Amino acid sequence: MNDILFNLPKCLTIRNKESHNEKTSTLTFSLPFEYSIRPGQYFMLWVPGVDEVPISVSGYHGTHISFTICDVGSASRSLNNKGHTELIGLRGPFGNGFEVEYGKNALIVAGGMGIAPLRFLIQCLTSNITSSQRIVLIQGAKTCNDLLFRSEFERLPIETNFCTEDGSYGFKGFASTKMDLLLGDLIQSDFNLEIFACGPEIFLKKVLYVAQKNKIEKNTQICLADRHIRCGFGICGSCFLDDIGLSLCRDGPVFRGSVLLEVTDFGQYGRKSNGLKYQFH
């Protein structure tokens, strides 16, 4: 059954659409069967007549799957403009997701749209949470209006820390700064700790620096959901990581911090659709 959906686009109807702000919405589809999906994995969403684009899974329950999409290009803009009953092609899941160890304490650090795959991770972790387990979320965004799923997270049995660059809600500053302030105490009180992070790559570079400073980079899993993915099979070369030769689409998008420390272009360069490098600003 998985091979059918993986190799060819399966055209599915949008069952629900939730708009979060003028640029972001969550689309939910009903899948024809259940199968295993790990947080951090992605699907290729095909908009007929427009393009195909990789989107991380932001929620999965039984046969219902959700994708949270920000308007950043023609395909994502077209997806956000779609309504109920319209057809979208899905292929996947692709890539390697987060390694989830239930019962282990977790620090989840999200920057901007990086909260989308981490939302799915939070759903998985809280569905099997124990009385002694701590799940700490640090979510950062530019403004209060960009803190997606905030009310949802506040209802869950997790510790929430919200950050905004303009100070409109919670801590004024970056999520990586808040992580730096909290991590020392978390390590001392919760030795069995795993870090999960996703967001813009410059932000993730700061997250990895904080983890390395506290000697916990091996327990840090980073999802490079912002990097360009084109084919999904690791054959076009547009998403290769320099120095180690791994492809983002096939070997990632989730990597251990200890692996990313070997990548010289991490947090410095991205790649365009033609594979050419460009420097982050």
Side-chain angles (χ1 to χ4, degrees):
M1 281 290 195
N2 279 5
D3 292 339
I4 298 174
L5 187 58
F6 184 86
N7 292 318
L8 296 173
K10 182 72 174 180
C11 287
L12 301 177
T13 303
I14 299 173
R15 295 302 181 189
N16 185 61
K17 178 180 180 180
E18 178 185 1
S19 296
H20 303 290
N21 53 47
E22 59 184 20
K23 285 191 173 183
T24 312
S25 63
T26 296
L27 304 181
T28 299
F29 301 83
S30 295
L31 293 173
F33 47 81
E34 294 186 32
Y35 56 102
S36 178
I37 305 173
R38 290 170 59 187
Q41 288 187 299
Y42 65 95
F43 277 68
M44 301 298 289
L45 271 60
W46 172 55
V47 185
V50 182
D51 202 356
E52 189 179 51
V53 62
I55 303 290
S56 299
V57 179
S58 65
Y60 177 63
H61 298 284
T63 57
H64 289 82
I65 190 168
S66 299
F67 303 91
T68 301
I69 301 158
C70 183
D71 179 358
V72 294
S74 59
S76 56
R77 185 176 305 113
S78 180
L79 283 167
N80 272 330
N81 289 334
K82 297 293 184 183
H84 295 175
T85 75
E86 294 199 62
L87 291 174
I88 299 296
L90 275 71
R91 285 193 302 129
F94 288 98
N96 289 310
F98 293 108
E99 297 175 14
V100 180
E101 186 177 337
Y102 294 104
K104 192 172 186 177
N105 297 311
L107 173 61
I108 300 166
V109 190
M113 284 299 298
I115 193 60
L118 294 174
R119 179 197 183 218
F120 181 23
L121 173 70
I122 291 169
Q123 289 175 349
C124 292
L125 289 174
T126 53
S127 68
N128 292 276
I129 194 170
T130 65
S131 58
S132 60
Q133 183 182 5
R134 291 183 69 186
I135 299 175
V136 180
L137 169 66
I138 303 175
Q139 181 183 0
K142 289 185 177 181
T143 70
C144 178
N145 193 43
D146 297 323
L147 287 171
L148 307 180
F149 310 112
R150 178 168 58 87
S151 59
E152 174 183 317
F153 296 144
E154 289 175 331
R155 294 192 297 267
L156 295 175
I158 64 176
E159 302 170 36
T160 55
N161 299 267
F162 298 107
C163 313
T164 52
E165 293 179 30
D166 64 357
S168 56
Y169 192 87
F171 175 80
K172 184 177 182 179
F174 299 107
S176 55
T177 304
K178 186 68 173 179
M179 173 189 173
D180 198 11
L181 296 172
L182 291 179
L183 190 55
D185 290 337
L186 287 172
I187 291 174
Q188 290 178 9
S189 59
D190 297 314
F191 180 76
N192 191 25
L193 179 70
E194 192 78 9
I195 299 174
F196 304 91
C198 188
E201 194 162 321
I202 295 178
F203 161 77
L204 293 175
K205 181 80 171 181
K206 297 175 182 176
V207 168
L208 182 54
Y209 169 77
V210 174
Q212 185 183 18
K213 185 174 68 172
N214 289 273
K215 300 179 180 179
I216 198 172
E217 65 271 13
K218 290 183 179 179
N219 287 54
T220 301
Q221 300 183 48
I222 292 177
C223 181
L224 302 181
D226 251 17
R227 281 219 174 190
H228 180 78
I229 290 177
R230 189 173 185 178
C231 71
F233 297 106
I235 59 174
C236 74
S238 62
C239 68
F240 280 6
L241 300 179
D242 283 0
D243 302 314
I244 59 176
L246 296 177
S247 66
L248 182 70
C249 67
R250 182 187 58 201
D251 303 305
V254 177
F255 297 95
R256 288 279 173 181
S258 52
V259 173
L260 292 177
L261 285 174
E262 301 177 15
V263 182
T264 55
D265 68 353
F266 173 62
Q268 299 186 59
Y269 295 94
R271 290 184 184 272
K272 300 178 181 180
S273 58
N274 59 6
L276 292 177
K277 281 187 176 182
Y278 67 92
Q279 189 167 9
F280 292 128
H281 296 289

